[in-house]
Every structure is written in C-alpha cells, then in structure tokens.
Amino acid sequence: MTDDVLSRIRAASVRQKVCVLGIVLTVIAAGVVILYPDQSYGDEYLFPEMHIDTIGGKKIDSKEQYVDCTVSVEEDGVVTLNDATGGIRGRGNSTWAQTSWWDMPKKPYKIKFDVPTELFGHGAYQKWNLIADYADESLSRNYMAYSLGAAIGIEGVSSVQHVNLFVNGIYQGVYLLCDQIEPGPDRVDIDDDASSADFGFIVEMNGLAAEEGIYGFDTFDIGDHTYTIKSPDTSLVWGDAQFEYVRSTMQEVNDALESGDWSRVEAVIDTQSFAKTYVIEELMHDIDINWSSFFFHKDRGGKVTSGPIWDYDISSGNIGILGQNSPEELYIAHKSDWYRMFLSYPEFKDLVGVVVSTYSETLRNTIDGCEDYLRGYADDFRRNFERWPTMGSLVASNPEEFLFMRTWDDHLTFVVNWLEDSLDNLIEDYPAP
C-alpha cells in the first residue's frame, strides 16, 4: 500500500456502511473500499451501566474544574447506586489533549464523590478514574496489565471493572473503572501522616511535573528526571522539612543504585518489588516508563517500594515508533534509566529470574483467563466501536499494521499473541538462577 493511499485512509472522513451477507462494506471518501466482517451485537448491555448526569447538562470540558453531577449504577437490571452526588472532570495527558495530530474524542474522566462511595466491592473512596482506552482498540491492555500485576503480588495494583458509560443520557462506550492512586487499605496501604518525622509517601516520575507541580514544594529533580509528590496531601501538614524528607529519601535511593554496592541498594530499596514490576513492564513494553506514570511508595519505617503500576494503553505492540513493537526483544532493560541501573547488578537479574520462573505459569494462565473473560463480553466491546468507529484507521501512534485489523476480535487476538510471545522471551532471557 503506497504512502499516498495510507494518507488518504487516515484523512478520510466520510464513510457509508452497507451490510451484505455478513460483510460490512465501508466506502471511504478517498475511494478505497475495505471489507469488514459483520460486527453485530445483541440488544442487551452485558457490563454494568454507569449513568453520570451533570447538573443542568453542563459540558465536561476541564481537567481542573469539577462539574457537579449524580452517579448511578445498574447491574443485571438492579440499581446498586442511585444518584450519588459528586463531581466529574477530565483527566489524563495525551488522552485529554486535542491537537491537529493527536485527538481522542472519547475522553477519560475522574469522579469525586461527596462522600466515600463503594463501587463493585472495591472499597469506599471518593475518587475513581474512568479510563477511555481510545488509542487501544482491543480495550484490553490496561485490564491485562493490572490483572497480571495483581496475579504476581505487586502492591497497590488498581481494581478494574468495565462499565458501559452514559453521560447525560448519551452512550459513551466501554470504559475501565480504576482506582485513584492514593493511600488506603484497598489502594496503596501506607501511613502518610506527615506530622511525624518518618511518614509514608507516594512519588511519581512525571515528565509533565514542570507544568503541574511547584519546584521546592512538591516537585524535584534527581539526575535527568523530575518527580512529583502525590501523597501526603500537601494542603494539610506540609513544609520544607516534609518536602526535604521525601526528596532526600529518593536521592538516597538513586545514590545507592549508582554506588555499585548491592548491600547498600538492599538497605533502602524493596528490591523484590522492583523485580516484579520490571517483569510486568518488560512483558508489556511500557513506552512511558522513563518519562511518566512510574510510581514509587514508602510506608512509615519501610523501604522505597515500586508501584503501583499504571497506564498501559500505549504498550504491547501499540506503537509505531521507537522500535518497541517486537515482543521477542527486551525493551525496558534499555529504555528505563532506573532498570538499566538495577540490571547492572547480577543479584537483581537473579531476582528477576526467580520471579519469572516462579510466576511464568501464573502469567500465562492470567493472559488466557483475561482473554476468556473479555471475549465473554464481545457484544459490548463491538458496540463501543459503533459509537467510536476507529477500526481500519490509525489512532494516535498506532502502527500501520493496525489499518488491516478490522474488528475488536482481531485486536484482542493481536494483544494475546503479543503477550504470549513476550512472556516466552522473558523466560528465555531470565532463566532461574
């Protein structure tokens, strides 16, 4: 296919669909005709329905300002949450942005209830995230990553629940309801009371920190990377002493990694947690690992620990640049400054080998289990693409081979095969010591 045709496919805006003998013909304004398998679906919604109604039908158009709303949930015809009050706003970075070359009209959201509210048995909290996964046409990568992380015991992994989302009565597609990364017994289980000298905290490597944080207050640099303090709440007990405690602790960790002394590393870092996180990051080929969404946490009296893991829609072959697409090659080992330092220690490689050998069957079974679960809700996933007809086009940084994937089923098969190949490569590269 020539570059000219590819350009015309991307630019096409007028489509007409005709169903003939189970095949959907999509006629594109550029003159290209593509055959799609019939992606019909049933009348009933399978995932729970979440209905969010803003007061006065107000538009949700800000990441900073919450819009007052009510939230209701219906599961199997039974209303399990009825008009809970709170606010909703946009969330995300590239997924919220609108530019001439990167526009994702299916927007992600953050909900903040007026009081802690339990959803789907995952604890009572005020803040919840609705992940759109617009750039992931399998709608599975975040779900897969969190399921795999939970299966091998990574701390603080988000709960997951797919929902059919309606905003002001209009169907918005399938979303993944996830936790807010914050302290809590069902979230990141730390004591972040900053009134004591030694307190728990959550820090994110954040390439956008210069725009979002305040240097010397909740944001700091170590080497080539910028970090933002996500917890404790800096609007409560916070000052120079608390900031310096977090910054100096992270500096101590960085210095230990650079020292070449494994005993010094083990004294301040929960190395097992980083080995487990590395396995998931390498399995998924997470493109953001060296820039953002790389989290650390520490409990009172504890060591700096990896996690929670976060943000995998652009992973697992879903990127057309940076040589990230081969599951048969290591990626994070070369991409991440943190993991390059870790992997310079034979002891860490051995830890990874133990994690891989211990959990390889668990990981494989989890991939299979996720696939079976997701295919059981195929009708809902197919309906999502009636609302957002992206099949046969490129979204954001999708690789060009996605042009030839015509169905949600194709995309899910691609992800499952990709992860299985990536797992095989991990087993080969990190044998048990």
Side-chain angles (χ1 to χ4, degrees):
M1 185 173 288
T2 67
D3 291 341
D4 178 63
V5 171
L6 288 171
S7 298
R8 286 187 287 148
I9 291 176
R10 292 174 187 157
S13 59
V14 179
R15 298 186 176 187
Q16 178 180 5
K17 292 186 178 180
V18 183
C19 186
V20 181
L21 298 178
I23 298 293
V24 176
L25 303 179
T26 297
V27 183
I28 304 179
V32 179
V33 178
I34 301 175
L35 298 180
Y36 289 82
D38 183 10
Q39 286 292 283
S40 58
Y41 47 82
D43 294 332
E44 295 184 0
Y45 292 101
L46 303 178
F47 287 127
E49 297 176 32
M50 176 173 282
H51 295 262
I52 299 177
D53 296 298
T54 62
I55 304 305
K58 188 173 181 180
K59 186 178 180 181
I60 308 163
D61 56 7
S62 170
K63 286 203 316 178
E64 288 74 38
Q65 300 297 320
Y66 283 97
V67 176
D68 291 340
C69 69
T70 61
V71 182
S72 299
V73 173
E74 182 178 324
E75 303 178 62
D76 297 322
V78 177
V79 175
T80 56
L81 184 69
N82 188 26
D83 287 342
T85 58
I88 183 171
R89 65 171 176 84
R91 65 162 308 279
N93 295 314
S94 59
T95 50
W96 182 260
Q98 182 173 346
T99 67
S100 60
W101 63 280
W102 191 294
D103 180 20
M104 301 188 195
K106 183 187 178 188
K107 299 300 185 184
Y109 302 108
K110 183 185 297 293
I111 301 169
K112 183 179 180 181
F113 290 103
D114 289 339
V115 297
T117 300
E118 181 172 308
L119 294 175
F120 306 107
H122 297 311
Y125 292 90
Q126 284 186 272
K127 295 179 181 179
W128 298 84
N129 292 305
L130 284 164
I131 308 302
D133 283 331
Y134 183 77
D136 172 13
E137 289 166 304
S138 75
L139 297 175
S140 73
R141 286 175 171 86
N142 276 310
Y143 177 83
M144 288 276 195
Y146 302 151
S147 298
L148 290 163
I152 67 171
I154 293 177
E155 294 182 12
V157 175
S158 176
S159 64
V160 285
Q161 175 63 57
H162 287 99
V163 297
N164 288 295
L165 179 65
F166 297 79
V167 176
N168 293 327
I170 299 174
Y171 172 68
Q172 299 296 328
V174 173
Y175 278 70
L176 187 65
L177 182 75
C178 294
D179 299 345
Q180 173 74 5
I181 294 179
E182 62 181 349
D186 303 294
R187 296 191 170 179
V188 184
D189 195 5
I190 60 172
D191 179 358
D192 69 339
D193 180 1
S195 62
S196 63
D198 176 16
F199 56 88
F201 60 78
I202 302 171
V203 167
E204 179 192 7
M205 179 191 291
N206 184 0
L208 293 173
E211 302 173 19
E212 299 176 355
I214 302 173
Y215 274 97
F217 180 74
D218 60 6
T219 301
F220 56 90
D221 290 337
I222 296 177
D224 295 331
H225 297 291
T226 303
Y227 300 84
T228 301
I229 298 167
K230 297 296 185 178
S231 175
D233 184 345
T234 55
S235 68
L236 301 176
V237 179
W238 196 254
D240 291 345
Q242 286 79 13
F243 171 79
E244 182 57 24
Y245 170 71
V246 177
R247 189 209 65 78
S248 63
T249 299
M250 293 301 294
Q251 182 69 60
E252 182 182 20
V253 166
N254 186 82
D255 293 346
L257 278 172
E258 291 181 339
S259 72
D261 183 347
W262 183 247
S263 64
R264 186 175 168 186
V265 172
E266 288 191 304
V268 294
I269 299 174
D270 182 340
T271 54
Q272 176 76 1
S273 74
F274 279 90
K276 287 184 175 182
T277 298
Y278 171 73
V279 168
I280 299 302
E281 297 284 1
E282 194 68 84
L283 180 64
M284 302 294 298
H285 284 203
D286 174 19
I287 189 175
D288 287 334
I289 184 68
N290 208 42
W291 185 71
S292 69
S293 301
F294 188 27
F295 286 87
F296 313 81
H297 67 276
K298 178 187 177 299
D299 200 1
R300 182 189 305 277
K303 300 177 182 180
V304 170
T305 302
S306 181
I309 57 174
W310 188 251
D311 194 6
Y312 293 88
D313 57 333
I314 307 295
S315 73
S316 316
N318 188 17
I319 184 71
I321 55 175
L322 302 181
Q324 192 212 9
N325 274 342
S326 175
E328 298 173 358
E329 298 177 2
L330 296 178
Y331 176 73
I332 303 302
H334 313 296
K335 172 72 173 177
S336 167
D337 292 339
W338 273 78
Y339 280 116
R340 276 202 303 270
M341 290 192 288
F342 269 116
L343 290 165
S344 69
Y345 294 92
E347 295 90 344
F348 186 76
K349 290 182 179 179
D350 287 345
L351 277 177
V352 174
V354 170
V355 172
V356 171
S357 62
T358 301
Y359 292 104
S360 59
E361 282 306 304
T362 297
L363 291 167
R364 199 176 302 280
N365 291 338
T366 302
I367 294 169
D368 292 343
C370 287
E371 179 185 15
D372 289 345
Y373 165 82
L374 294 167
R375 292 200 188 280
Y377 292 88
D379 278 6
D380 279 1
F381 289 117
R382 291 168 183 162
R383 183 185 290 106
N384 175 89
F385 294 101
E386 186 70 21
R387 177 68 176 85
W388 306 105
T390 59
M391 291 296 170
S393 63
L394 298 181
V395 177
S397 55
N398 290 164
E400 288 191 346
E401 54 262 42
F402 281 18
L403 286 168
F404 307 101
M405 295 184 192
R406 306 305 183 202
T407 69
W408 169 80
D409 305 73
D410 290 343
H411 279 272
L412 181 61
T413 297
F414 174 90
V415 173
V416 170
N417 291 342
W418 201 99
L419 290 174
E420 289 176 345
D421 289 345
S422 184
L423 178 57
D424 289 341
N425 184 60
L426 271 174
I427 293 169
E428 180 178 346
D429 282 344
Y430 293 103

